[in-house]
Amino acid sequence: MDFTLVELDDDHRQLQQEIRTFLEGLFTPDVFAEEHETGSGYNKKVYEELGARGWLYPEKPVEEGGAGFDLVAERIMDLELFRQDARVMMMRGTSSLPLKAIRKYMPADVADPILKDAVEGRVLVCLGYSEPDGGSDIANAKVRAVQDGDMWTINGSKMWTTGAHVSNYTFLVTRTDPDAPKHKGITMFLVPLDTPGVTIQGIRTFSGERTNIVYYEDVVIHDKYRVGGINDGWNVLHGPLDEEHSIGLDMSGGLTDLSIGAGFCRVLGRAINEVAEWAHKTPAPDGSSLADDVQVRERLGAAMVEYEAGLCTPGPMGRVKASDALVQQSASLIDLMGPVGLLPLHADGAVGEADTEYAHRFAQGTATYGGTVEVFRTIIANHVLGLPKPNYPGAKVFMAGKKK
Amino acid sequence: MDLLELRRQDYSLDEDHQLLLTAFGEFFSEQSPTSLVRECEPLGFSQDLWNRLVEMGGTSMGLPESVGGDGAGMIELTLVAEEFGRAIAPVPYIEHTVTARALAAAGESTVLPAALDGSHIVALASFPVQAGSPQLVPAGAVARSVLALVGDDLVLFTVDTPPAHVVNQGSTPLAWWDFDAIADRAVLATGARAHEIYDRAHDERMTLTAAALVGLTEPALNIAVEFSKTRETMGVPIATLQGVSFPMTDVAIAIAGARNVARKAAWYLEHAPDERPELPAIAMVYASQTATKGTQVTAHLQGGLGFTIEADASLYFLRSKGWGALAGDPQAKLIAIGDHVLNTVN
């Protein structure tokens, strides 16, 4: 166990200052204004300037376009980006997932230029996983890919393809054998989004983020864009993830978060700080400060307990706990503030940076994306508690509709 | 709070910690089966188990080497507390440990040697002593000395024979102590130092109780898990129903988090006590919620069976509050945690 403050050596201290100064210059008001307007989780200038320094994926070795950051430097970068409230960095995280599969499964002559451009901030890859009637059940994909010689024809539609409108490629889950069990008839492709037949339609969420529905109508691509073996898509999809998760133990010496839920907790932490500051400045009806009000103190205490619980819960469990904590406590904190808690950034009289108002909207997405909390509860029930899987009629149905 | 601190968040246990966990895990599971827990009701104390725990080093490990102890810190004690809780062992491990440590901190030397060898059990009063108000003292029915605050004095009250046990939901050795009537009182510290020692003992008690409640909830959950796999409805094990599996999953999630919060609180108490003073209360609140919910889920999941005294689920359920409430009202602690939040914003 170790919760010590990391003592930075001279090199790290210098790097921290360098990063901070650079990011302060990079994240100008127009960057935030554009993100507020588009909700894209992306900014061309930011990505290209970070990429040019090897700072977009700084943990990658220098020869792969990164900066060869060690764990401490990586943590410094993450915290400095958080300091800037860099919502525009969302597509970096999304894009990073398929890069591992591209490197592992595609021939070097196709993969290398794409990887180089991605690391340098000029190419983004979005995730073509969910479908309009599929949600988190990725293995149920119905988008069809049919082979004809060296070419494949793709038809169907994908939903929640966040970043499709700013991406160059989508990492697409397709059905290539409708007669095989559903996990065994899937093939992955890296589809260039400028291919004729691809139509991207924006969808706005109430957190302010934009996502997309993407239509594929007789989209013809070359076999070189196939990622991994035909009908081996499930392994391609899970390979990079399993690799990350198989370690099990924290090998970072406590320099990485226990779960992706830690990011949700930081959003809650900002809201807690904002409400605490607001309470200090706001007079109670009797003329004292709201910070002296027992209800305010108790509600902040309750939010703090949930914040800490979310932060301390590991792995997939932490993903569920932190999302629940953010959903419940952001709502409670808005109730505590009353009408003024409803005012968004820039509205007349909005509190602070309106972090609490935002947290309440943002929270709802955390319960869904990357697999709903129900999907994760099911995984925990089966794999941690060892509970038997329910035998639902659809679980073993073959895609063509017949049972074997 | 500072969300940008560059701190390690390493919850892993080293080899010594693992060995300690295994040793005390085996000790408690062998020496304190649920049959013993039942035999010791309603008092909740086994002299024989206490003697064995003393032999195992359970009463000396947390005391400084300068007074003959083994110098273990809060992390080690928290690991032991979790195993103690898992076995719902009928011994006053937490009360005795935190009080003896407070005596050592106060430089007490009359009672301490007998506390070290377990022959003289000591306990901590939950509230400041007020004239005319006797109070219920956890472990007070087996303790010969109780440490309490009287105004700004830290006072050790000692009796020849502990007062009578009062039956209670958790079957713990609670007793009314009427401090006004006790002549043998030693002032161990005064003023700020008195409060410092007393508050520290309370923080340690909250942290160890949190760990014990985590330990207590886990075997309770296991009962529910096993029952749900074999009990069938409509031709399927009830475990396959999400209305059954999801509450258990949420308990498992809470256990995993509460365990880490308790260990983290212990680390801070040991290494940086001034930096996160609100953590023991957070650990206590979250563990208390976890135990309350976890044992309720377990009892309820077995339907009427879980509601019977015969079911082991009842042992855990009755102690979730029976132990949890001894360390004070979680809701009241929220206010103190909130104050900390309010005091640490710019």
Side-chain angles (χ1 to χ4, degrees), chain A residues 1 3 280 297 308 377, chain B residues 7 250 264 276 339 342:
Chain A
M1 292 178 82
F3 297 92
H280 276 300
R297 295 153 65 199
E308 194 63 49
R377 282 192 170 91
Chain B
R7 261 187 198 281
D250 285 341
K264 184 173 177 176
R276 295 292 305 277
D339 287 344
L342 284 158

Side-chain angles (χ1 to χ4, degrees), chain B:
Chain B
M1 71 189 119
D2 184 358
L3 298 166
L4 294 167
E5 256 187 352
L6 211 174
R7 261 187 198 281
R8 291 187 188 274
Q9 32 187 354
D10 180 1
Y11 298 82
S12 64
L13 299 180
D14 63 27
E15 207 177 321
D16 287 346
H17 290 153
Q18 297 282 5
L19 289 171
L20 185 73
L21 208 51
T22 308
F24 276 91
E26 284 171 2
F27 170 80
F28 280 116
S29 73
E30 282 166 17
Q31 304 295 331
S32 180
T34 52
S35 55
L36 177 78
V37 175
R38 287 178 184 280
E39 276 169 36
C40 293
E41 289 181 345
L43 175 61
F45 178 69
S46 161
Q47 184 65 53
D48 184 51
L49 179 63
W50 182 248
N51 293 344
R52 286 168 202 263
L53 182 62
V54 171
E55 279 169 35
M56 181 79 181
T59 51
S60 58
M61 69 177 285
L63 290 171
E65 287 167 8
S66 57
V67 301
D70 304 317
M74 276 304 291
I75 297 169
E76 289 78 13
L77 297 176
T78 300
L79 297 175
V80 174
E82 192 178 322
E83 295 309 312
F84 155 75
R86 190 183 308 281
I88 44 175
V91 283
Y93 169 72
I94 293 175
E95 304 302 330
H96 185 81
T97 298
V98 302
T99 310
R101 282 165 62 84
L103 295 183
E108 203 279 346
S109 57
T110 312
V111 164
L112 192 59
L116 181 94
D117 71 21
S119 57
H120 186 118
I121 294 174
V122 291
L124 188 69
S126 299
F127 311 99
V129 171
Q130 283 180 301
S133 296
Q135 57 172 293
L136 276 175
V137 175
V142 293
R144 283 197 48 214
S145 293
V146 171
L147 188 64
L149 265 188
V150 184
D152 289 328
D153 293 342
L154 184 69
V155 181
L156 187 66
F157 293 87
T158 299
V159 292
D160 290 333
T161 312
H165 175 239
V166 273
V167 290
N168 60 88
Q169 190 176 105
S171 291
T172 65
L174 273 180
W176 288 103
W177 277 62
D178 181 3
F179 294 106
D180 296 348
I182 299 168
D184 184 349
R185 50 178 74 193
V187 176
L188 304 184
T190 56
R193 181 68 185 145
H195 286 278
E196 193 183 312
I197 295 170
Y198 184 76
D199 290 348
R200 168 81 188 192
H202 266 280
D203 282 346
E204 294 191 356
R205 177 157 80 177
M206 285 196 284
T207 303
L208 296 185
T209 303
L213 289 171
V214 170
L216 171 160
T217 311
E218 204 155 47
L221 175 63
N222 290 342
I223 292 173
V225 165
E226 291 312 312
F227 181 86
S228 73
K229 286 183 192 170
T230 50
R231 179 63 176 249
E232 295 200 347
T233 185
M234 296 179 287
V236 295
I238 60 171
T240 60
L241 308 176
Q242 291 180 336
V244 171
S245 66
F246 279 15
M248 290 193 286
T249 304
D250 285 341
V251 174
I253 291 170
I255 289 171
R259 171 181 290 131
N260 272 350
V261 181
R263 289 179 181 176
K264 184 173 177 176
W267 187 93
Y268 273 89
L269 274 180
E270 190 62 33
H271 297 289
D274 298 330
E275 299 199 22
R276 295 292 305 277
E278 82 286 19
L279 268 179
I282 290 178
M284 180 60 216
V285 171
Y286 193 52
S288 174
Q289 291 169 352
T290 298
T292 302
K293 179 72 184 165
T295 58
Q296 184 270 329
V297 163
T298 291
H300 175 66
L301 197 132
Q302 297 172 86
L305 296 174
F307 193 41
T308 64
I309 291 171
E310 262 175 63
D312 274 354
S314 69
L315 298 177
Y316 300 103
F317 174 79
L318 294 170
R319 280 161 186 77
S320 67
K321 274 285 162 267
W323 288 17
L326 299 181
D329 177 14
Q331 218 64 16
K333 296 187 201 324
L334 293 181
I335 296 168
I337 297 164
D339 287 344
H340 178 78
V341 172
L342 284 158
N343 289 337
T344 49
V345 290
N346 309 329

